[in-house]
C-alpha cells in the first residue's frame, strides 16, 4: 500500500472492507518497508491468528510464528486443570512451581523448557508447537525460545493488552516497545476489550468461593473477628447496595453499607480487610507450595472490597446490577491503558468499521494518526441495503409498532427464498418474534448457548439453510464467515443502540465531559458499528452478493456509512429483484 510506504506518521488507521485483502497487503507493505523491525500482529480471536500465518506464507515471509498463553499451550493441564483458569500472573507462578517440583523429584511437570533447536519450518503455527510435546518439549517454552529469532509474531489482543504479559513478551522477543511494529486487525474491538479486561466484580459466587476456602484453610480470627463474620458482613452489604436496582453507586455508599453491616468505623473495616488480604496471601503461598494454582478468592475479595471504598482514580465507576446480583468496578477511560501503542515504532490499526475515526483516536489516545479509507467497488455492485419508514424499535414507540415488526419478519421469512440471518436488537425481542407463527426452517441463537452448541447450530444452518435468528451484539454478528449463498440476506430488526443502562449512561457522561461527544460516541457510533458488522456477514469478498434489510425508519440517519441505502415500498420485490440480477 502506497500510504504505508510514504507515511511518516507513527500510527495509521486503515478502514477497508472484508475480502479486500488488507491483511496480506498491510503485512507485505510493513515487512517491505521495515525489514529490520520485528512485527507483532494482533487479532481478536485465536482462529484469526492462523489466517495471518496463511497470508504470511502466500507472500513469502519467513520466521513467522504464533504465540499463545499457557492456557492454550500447556500440555500438563490434564494433570493440572486449574492452569487454564488462572490469570497470567497465577499461571506463571503455577508453571514455575510445577517445573521446580519435578526437578526435585516431587512430581510436577516433566516437559523440558529448552528447545527446539532452530526452526522446524519457516512458519510455526500453534499445531507445530503443540506437536513438540511428543519430543518432551513444552510448547509454551518453545515459543519463548524461538521468539527472539522471529520476524513476525501473531497473537491475540487478550494476550498482548495485559501489561504483565506484554512486558514479559517483549523481553522474550529481545526488544522493547520502541523497536516493534504493531499491526492490529479488527481494531475497533480494542477499547472495549481493554475496558472489560480491567473490570472487576463482586458477587455471591465470589463470596461463596471464599467460604469454601474457609472450610479448607480454617475460619481464621482476625483481630478477634472471624473470617466468616467478615464474609457475611460483605454479603449483607452487597445485598443492601443491590436492593435499589441497577444504578451507579458511589464509594461513600459502599463505605456506609460496610459500616452498617460491620458495625465499625471505615478505618477499622479497612484494617480488617487488610488482614483478610494477608490471610489470602498465605493461602496463595500454601497452594503454590503444594504444587497447585496460587489463587485465593479471599485475597481477591479483600482487595476488591478495599478498592470499592476508595475514591476512584481517573474515570472509574461502580455499577450495581440487581439482575446479575453484582457490583462492578468499571474503567471508563481506555487511553491510559492503551498508551503503549504510542510507544511503539509504528502502529497500524485495521478494520472494516473503524469510523468514526475520531472515536477510536480518542479512546486509544493516538497522536495525529494517518487515516486511510480504502474504497472497494464490489460493495457498490454487490450490496443493497433497504429500509422501511413505517416501523421502529425506538423505545417510546416500539409497543405501537411491535405488530408491524412481526408482520415484516413473518413476510420476509415466508416470501424471500434465500438463506437469511435475522439480527434482533435483544434476546427479549428475539423471543417475542419467535412467538410469531411463521412457515419456514427456523434456527435461533439461545441466550447462554455454549460454544459447542453454537458451532453445531452454525454447521446445521450452513448445510441446510433457512432462517437464523440471532442477537446483533452476539457472537454471530462478528467474526463468523457465511460467504456465497450460505447467507444472502441480513435482516436487522431495529437500530441497535446500546440499552440505556448505568454503564451506557456513565460512558455517555464521560464522553461528553472528555470529548464533548456523549451521544455520538456512546450510542450512534456503537449502533453504526453493529449495523455494518452484521451486514458484513453476508459480504465476505468480491464474489459475494447480498441484500440487507433494516426494519427501522431511523436507518436514514446512517446514510453516511451506508451509501447504498434505499427506502423500499416493496421489500420482497426489491430484494429478490436485486439478488436475481
Amino acid at each position: 500500500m502506497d500510504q504505508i510506504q510514504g507515511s511518516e506518521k507513527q500510527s495509521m488507521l486503515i478502514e477497508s472492507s472484508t475480502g479486500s485483502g488488507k491483511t496480506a497487503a498491510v503485512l507485505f507493505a510493513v515487512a517491505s518497508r521495515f525489514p529490520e523491525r520485528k512485527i507483532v500482529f494482533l487479532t481478536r480471536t485465536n482462529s484469526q491468528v492462523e489466517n495471518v500465518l496463511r497470508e504470511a506464507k502466500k507472500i513469502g515471509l519467513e520466521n513467522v510464528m504464533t504465540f499463545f498463553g499457557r492456557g492454550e499451550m500447556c500440555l500438563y493441564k490434564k494433570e493440572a486443570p486449574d492452569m487454564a483458569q488462572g490469570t497470567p500472573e497465577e499461571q506463571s507462578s503455577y508453571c514455575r512451581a510445577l517445573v521446580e517440583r519435578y526437578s526435585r523429584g516431587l512430581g510436577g511437570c516433566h516437559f523440558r523448557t529448552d528447545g527446539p533447536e532452530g526452526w522446524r519450518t519457516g512458519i510455526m503455527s500453534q499445531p507445530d508447537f503443540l506437536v513438540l510435546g511428543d519430543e518432551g518439549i513444552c510448547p509454551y517454552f518453545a515459543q519463548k525460545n524461538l521468539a527472539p529469532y522471529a520476524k513476525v509474531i501473531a497473537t491475540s489482543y487478550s494476550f498482548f493488552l495485559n501489561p504483565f504479559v506484554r512486558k514479559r513478551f517483549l523481553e522474550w522477543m529481545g526488544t522493547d516497545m520502541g523497536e516493534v511494529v504493531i499491526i492490529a486487525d479488527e481494531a475497533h474491538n480494542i477499547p472495549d476489550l481493554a475496558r472489560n479486561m480491567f473490570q472487576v466484580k463482586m458477587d455471591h459466587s465470589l463470596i461463596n468461593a471464599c467460604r469454601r476456602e474457609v472450610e479448607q484453610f480454617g475460619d481464621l480470627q482476625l483481630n478477634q473477628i472471624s473470617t466468616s463474620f467478615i464474609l457475611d458482613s460483605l454479603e449483607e452489604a452487597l445485598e443492601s447496595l443491590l436492593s435499589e436496582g441497577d444504578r451507579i453507586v458511589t464509594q461513600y455508599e459502599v463505605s456506609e453499607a460496610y459500616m452498617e453491616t460491620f458495625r465499625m468505623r471505615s478505618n477499622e473495616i479497612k484494617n480488617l480487610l487488610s488482614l483478610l488480604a494477608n490471610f489470602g496471601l498465605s493461602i496463595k503461598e500454601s497452594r503454590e507450595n503444594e504444587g497447585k494454582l496460587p489463587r485465593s478468592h479471599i485475597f481477591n475479595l479483600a482487595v476488591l472490597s478495599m478498592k470499592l471504598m476508595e475514591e476512584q482514580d481517573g474515570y472509574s465507576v461502580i455499577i450495581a446490577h440487581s439482575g446479575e446480583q453484582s457490583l462492578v468496578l468499571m474503567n471508563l477511560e481506555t487511553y491510559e491503558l492503551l498508551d503503549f501503542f504510542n510507544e511503539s515504532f509504528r502502529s497500524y490499526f485495521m478494520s472494516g468499521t473503524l469510523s468514526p475515526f475520531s472515536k477510536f483516536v480518542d479512546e486509544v489516545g493516538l497522536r495525529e494518526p494517518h487515516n486511510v479509507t480504502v474504497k472497494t467497488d464490489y460493495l457498490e455492485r454487490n450490496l443493497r441495503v433497504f429500509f422501511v419508514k413505517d416501523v421502529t424499535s425506538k423505545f417510546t414507540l416500539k409497543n405501537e409498532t411491535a405488530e408491524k415488526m412481526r408482520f415484516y419478519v413473518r413476510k420476509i421469512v415466508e416470501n424471500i427464498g434465500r438463506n437469511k440471518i435475522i439480527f434482533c436488537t435483544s434476546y427479549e425481542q428475539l423471543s417475542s418474534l419467535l412467538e410469531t407463527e411463521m412457515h419456514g426452517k427456523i434456527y435461533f441463537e439461545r441466550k447462554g448457548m455454549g460454544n459447542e452448541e453454537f458451532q453445531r447450530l452454525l454447521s446445521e444452518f450452513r448445510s441446510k439453510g433457512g432462517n437464523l435468528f440471532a442477537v446483533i451484539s452476539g457472537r454471530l454478528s462478528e467474526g463468523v464467515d457465511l460467504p456465497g449463498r450460505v447467507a444472502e440476506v441480513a435482516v436487522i430488526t431495529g437500530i441497535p443502540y446500546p440499552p440505556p443502562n448505568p454503564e451506557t449512561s456513565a460512558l455517555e457522561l464521560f464522553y461528553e465531559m472528555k470529548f464533548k461527544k456523549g451521544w455520538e460516541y456512546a450510542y450512534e457510533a456503537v449502533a453504526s458499528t453493529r449495523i455494518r458488522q452484521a451486514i458484513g456477514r453476508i459480504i465476505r469478498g468480491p464474489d459475494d452478493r447480498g441484500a440487507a434489510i433494516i426494519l427501522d425508519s431511523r436507518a436514514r440517519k446512517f446514510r453516511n456509512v451506508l451509501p447504498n441505502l434505499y427506502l423500499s415500498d416493496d421489500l420482497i420485490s426489491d430484494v429478490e429483484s436485486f439478488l436475481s440480477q
Side-chain angles (χ1 to χ4, degrees):
M1 297 175 69
D2 293 340
Q3 291 94 333
I4 291 178
Q5 296 294 343
S7 176
E8 295 302 324
K9 293 289 186 74
Q10 186 271 336
S11 57
M12 178 179 289
L13 309 187
I14 304 167
E15 184 169 78
S16 182
S17 303
T18 299
S20 60
K22 60 180 179 289
T23 298
V26 172
L27 184 55
F28 179 78
V30 170
S32 299
R33 184 176 181 191
F34 307 113
E36 303 304 318
R37 300 285 177 179
K38 292 178 179 290
I39 300 170
V40 177
F41 201 115
L42 304 178
T43 68
R44 188 175 66 90
T45 65
N46 290 354
S47 61
Q48 291 169 336
V49 169
E50 298 299 326
N51 181 57
V52 176
L53 268 60
R54 287 192 294 271
E55 297 297 336
K57 186 174 183 179
K58 288 178 185 177
I59 61 179
L61 291 180
E62 291 284 320
N63 289 14
V64 180
M65 60 177 280
T66 58
F67 205 118
F68 293 105
R70 287 179 172 88
E72 295 89 354
M73 302 303 292
C74 177
L75 296 179
Y76 191 71
K77 61 188 175 188
K78 288 183 180 179
E79 289 76 18
D82 285 349
M83 179 64 79
Q85 307 302 319
T87 66
E89 295 91 335
E90 290 169 344
Q91 290 175 341
S92 178
S93 297
Y94 193 16
C95 177
R96 184 170 58 250
L98 289 171
V99 171
E100 183 179 340
R101 285 178 69 83
Y102 183 77
S103 68
R104 292 160 51 195
L106 299 175
C109 181
H110 61 276
F111 288 98
R112 290 163 36 210
T113 58
D114 60 336
E117 295 179 2
W119 292 69
R120 300 296 173 86
T121 177
I123 296 181
M124 292 283 288
S125 66
Q126 184 182 21
D128 292 326
F129 282 108
L130 289 173
V131 77
L132 294 173
D134 296 340
E135 303 173 35
I137 299 172
C138 171
Y140 179 76
F141 276 91
Q143 294 178 138
K144 290 174 61 174
N145 297 334
L146 285 187
Y149 311 104
K151 167 64 178 176
V152 180
I153 297 182
T155 188
S156 65
Y157 287 125
S158 58
F159 190 73
F160 199 73
L161 292 181
N162 184 294
F164 173 83
V165 175
R166 186 170 63 250
K167 181 176 182 295
R168 298 290 183 87
F169 186 75
L170 293 170
E171 291 173 355
W172 301 330
M173 291 178 67
T175 187
D176 56 45
M177 188 61 71
E179 298 297 320
V180 300
V181 178
I182 299 174
I183 303 174
D185 199 8
E186 298 294 335
H188 64 275
N189 291 291
I190 292 176
D192 282 343
L193 284 171
R195 191 175 285 118
N196 293 334
M197 180 177 289
F198 295 97
Q199 181 174 286
V200 287
K201 179 170 68 173
M202 177 195 286
D203 58 13
H204 293 291
S205 63
L206 174 59
I207 295 173
N208 288 333
C210 293
R211 290 194 173 107
R212 290 192 291 272
E213 286 187 355
V214 168
E215 291 175 4
Q216 182 179 0
F217 294 95
D219 194 1
L220 192 69
Q221 296 288 310
L222 305 170
N223 275 0
Q224 300 182 330
I225 295 174
S226 69
T227 301
S228 293
F229 172 82
I230 299 173
L231 298 181
D232 291 342
S233 299
L234 289 173
E235 186 164 49
E236 189 180 342
L238 173 64
E239 291 171 353
S240 173
L241 291 165
L242 295 173
S243 63
E244 297 182 34
D246 294 356
R247 62 195 180 98
I248 296 175
V249 177
T250 68
Q251 74 271 18
Y252 304 110
E253 290 178 273
V254 174
S255 295
E256 287 177 2
Y258 285 178
M259 286 188 285
E260 184 173 337
T261 59
F262 278 85
R263 300 286 192 268
M264 297 179 186
R265 293 189 295 271
S266 61
N267 63 322
E268 293 174 323
I269 296 171
K270 289 178 182 179
N271 290 336
L272 199 58
L273 291 174
S274 180
L275 293 173
L276 185 68
N278 289 335
F279 180 28
L281 279 175
S282 69
I283 292 173
K284 292 177 69 170
E285 291 172 3
S286 175
R287 290 179 60 83
E288 185 171 358
N289 291 335
E290 294 172 5
K292 298 178 181 178
L293 184 74
R295 165 177 290 180
S296 168
H297 298 290
I298 286 177
F299 175 80
N300 294 337
L301 177 64
V303 172
L304 174 56
S305 299
M306 286 188 284
K307 190 174 290 187
L308 291 173
M309 295 180 72
E310 299 168 356
E311 185 171 355
Q312 303 306 320
D313 295 332
Y315 296 92
S316 297
V317 293
I318 304 167
I319 308 289
H321 285 287
S322 58
E324 297 178 7
Q325 289 288 289
S326 64
L327 282 182
V328 176
L329 181 59
M330 172 184 174
N331 273 320
L332 299 175
E333 64 84 12
T334 51
Y335 41 83
E336 289 189 6
L337 303 173
L338 300 172
D339 187 57
F340 67 87
F341 282 116
N342 288 311
E343 300 170 7
S344 67
F345 179 74
R346 291 285 193 281
S347 289
Y348 298 90
F349 303 91
M350 306 186 298
S351 174
T353 55
L354 266 183
S355 57
F357 288 140
S358 62
K359 180 175 187 284
F360 186 82
V361 169
D362 286 340
E363 290 204 292
V364 180
L366 300 177
R367 300 160 191 163
E368 299 183 357
H370 185 156
N371 300 335
V372 177
T373 301
V374 179
K375 299 293 184 181
T376 49
D377 58 355
Y378 65 81
L379 278 182
E380 291 291 326
R381 297 192 311 268
N382 297 347
L383 175 67
R384 287 290 182 275
V385 183
F386 300 101
F387 76 102
V388 292
K389 62 182 179 182
D390 57 346
V391 69
T392 182
S393 63
K394 188 174 182 179
F395 183 77
T396 55
L397 298 174
K398 68 176 183 179
N399 291 333
E400 297 176 25
T401 62
E403 187 57 40
K404 191 73 172 180
M405 183 73 75
R406 286 191 286 270
F407 166 78
Y408 272 123
V409 171
R410 182 173 62 247
K411 188 176 180 180
I412 290 166
V413 166
E414 295 181 347
N415 293 284
I416 297 180
R418 315 276 178 160
N419 294 333
K420 300 173 285 293
I421 311 175
I422 296 88
F423 288 105
C424 304
T425 56
S426 66
Y427 282 106
E428 179 185 8
Q429 187 194 49
L430 186 153
S431 298
S432 175
L433 291 174
L434 288 177
E435 292 174 0
T436 306
E437 184 178 346
M438 291 178 280
H439 299 289
K441 197 165 187 62
I442 304 293
Y443 311 85
F444 63 94
E445 178 187 14
R446 184 176 55 81
K447 189 174 184 179
M449 179 180 281
N451 187 60
E452 187 174 329
E453 185 182 356
F454 178 72
Q455 293 303 325
R456 284 200 304 269
L457 175 73
L458 276 182
S459 178
E460 188 173 359
F461 177 70
R462 285 186 173 113
S463 62
K464 298 180 180 178
N467 304 275
L468 176 54
F469 283 75
V471 173
I472 197 164
S473 57
R475 286 177 292 185
L476 193 66
S477 59
E478 187 170 342
V480 175
D481 286 344
L482 299 168
R485 295 191 175 181
V486 175
E488 295 181 85
V489 180
V491 183
I492 301 172
T493 59
I495 302 301
Y497 289 118
N501 55 30
E503 284 96 335
T504 309
S505 299
L507 281 169
E508 181 184 14
L509 180 60
F510 165 69
Y511 289 141
E512 185 62 34
M513 289 171 56
K514 196 69 180 177
F515 310 116
K516 306 301 181 187
K517 294 184 178 181
W519 172 265
E520 180 183 341
Y521 283 4
Y523 290 94
E524 286 191 354
V526 175
S528 171
T529 297
R530 289 177 176 176
I531 290 170
R532 288 178 291 158
Q533 284 290 330
I535 293 173
R537 297 316 94 203
I538 60 173
I539 301 291
R540 307 303 293 165
D543 297 326
D544 291 336
R545 189 174 183 83
I549 299 169
I550 303 177
L551 297 176
D552 200 307
S553 59
R554 297 171 293 172
R556 57 171 57 92
K557 293 182 178 181
F558 299 90
R559 195 179 295 277
N560 62 320
V561 294
L562 298 171
N564 39 8
L565 178 70
Y566 298 88
L567 176 65
S568 175
D569 294 320
D570 189 341
L571 281 175
I572 308 303
S573 175
D574 287 342
V575 170
E576 287 289 5
S577 176
F578 174 72
L579 291 178
S580 299
Q581 292 177 13

